[in-house]
Amino acid sequence: MKLETIRQITTEVQLSGNGVDVTCYQWANGEGTCCIVHNTEDSMAQRTAFSLRWEELDVLLVALTAARSS
């Protein structure tokens, strides 16, 4: 058995506004991101959490833009 530990520096972004707190950070290999969304007004309840590759996130952003423009 072989065990390796890889240590990489990643970037974490925190954004708050309109009763929502969003935290996103890059994967250590740079291929995607993890995001967590909390409701900050009442209970800090978790609204959603997801992990996507950058290509998948691009598709999601286009779908959200199309849905909003309708």
Side-chain angles (χ1 to χ4, degrees):
M1 177 187 293
K2 182 179 178 183
L3 174 66
E4 285 186 53
T5 302
I6 300 171
R7 186 174 183 153
Q8 295 287 336
I9 297 174
T10 63
T11 302
E12 181 175 294
V13 176
Q14 294 181 334
L15 178 65
S16 295
N18 297 325
V20 176
D21 183 26
V22 179
T23 303
C24 294
Y25 57 92
Q26 296 179 16
W27 295 351
N29 64 6
E31 293 183 6
T33 186
C34 296
C35 294
I36 303 169
V37 181
H38 290 273
N39 182 359
T40 58
E41 291 180 344
D42 297 327
S43 63
M44 284 294 291
Q46 182 174 320
R47 303 277 304 269
T48 189
F50 57 89
S51 181
L52 297 171
R53 294 187 336 252
W54 293 117
E55 299 82 6
E56 297 166 338
L57 185 60
D58 291 339
V59 172
L60 176 61
L61 291 173
V62 171
L64 291 172
T65 301
R68 190 173 195 183
S69 68
S70 299

